[in-house]
Amino acid sequence: MSRPPVNPAGTPSSSDDPGSGPDSAANGRTGPVPATAKVVAGVAAAEATALLAAAGWYAYELFSGSPVLSFWGAIFTLALLLAFSAWLYAVAVFLYRGFRWTRAAALVAQLFVLTIGVPTMTSGLVLAGLVMLVPAVTAIVLLFTNKVVSHASRTGSAPPAL
């Protein structure tokens, strides 16, 4: 049976709290989650919710008898929508918690939204394009602020001992 690592400061630490533990002083995150990190996590969660709603609508249309060229291709597309939605929810949760990998994942997601939002806006659907572009650009800008960079510097827990 393995034991948790001993905190040299002598205070008990919880592995669930990103602001506590032996590496919290090195990361500089002893306070609450910055508002900028909350905004980026909220944008990712909102996009995940929109993808989940799109997947629900797609599934409804698929199973209600709408004609498709390839049924299994449509099932694969539905699976991709659900998987990407779950991935974005994970990015939002772990960005809020302060994990380092989430900044890159959130940036990739926002770049995907930009590649859909710009053609949407330039094809004449200005409102739909702006609904996609404004949160994506906001999240990209906030991802590079000092508060988000310093908050999202948690690397994870120590590897388990035998």
Side-chain angles (χ1 to χ4, degrees):
M1 186 159 156
S2 64
R3 297 182 316 185
V6 177
N7 187 352
T11 58
S13 66
S14 168
S15 63
D16 294 336
D17 182 19
S20 67
D23 63 341
S24 66
N27 290 338
R29 286 183 289 105
T30 57
V33 178
T36 51
K38 289 179 184 179
V39 168
V40 176
V43 166
E47 290 169 349
T49 304
L51 273 176
L52 193 60
W57 175 70
Y58 191 80
Y60 171 75
E61 290 293 323
L62 178 65
F63 295 120
S64 68
S66 294
V68 293
L69 192 59
S70 167
F71 178 74
W72 292 111
I75 294 294
F76 180 71
T77 303
L78 178 62
L80 282 178
L81 284 170
L82 292 171
F84 196 52
S85 176
W87 177 69
L88 270 176
Y89 276 126
V91 168
V93 167
F94 286 105
L95 178 66
Y96 185 82
R97 291 182 182 177
F99 281 86
R100 180 180 296 170
W101 63 269
T102 57
R103 287 184 58 240
L107 179 63
V108 167
Q110 301 317 311
L111 292 176
F112 281 139
V113 172
L114 286 179
T115 61
I116 295 170
V118 169
T120 300
M121 194 166 109
T122 58
S123 70
L125 299 170
V126 177
L127 184 62
L130 285 175
V131 166
M132 287 186 260
L133 290 177
V134 170
V137 170
T138 302
I140 289 172
V141 168
L142 293 179
L143 275 171
F144 293 101
T145 61
N146 288 335
K147 289 183 179 182
V148 173
V149 170
S150 66
H151 172 71
S153 60
R154 180 176 173 190
T155 57
S157 60
L162 299 174

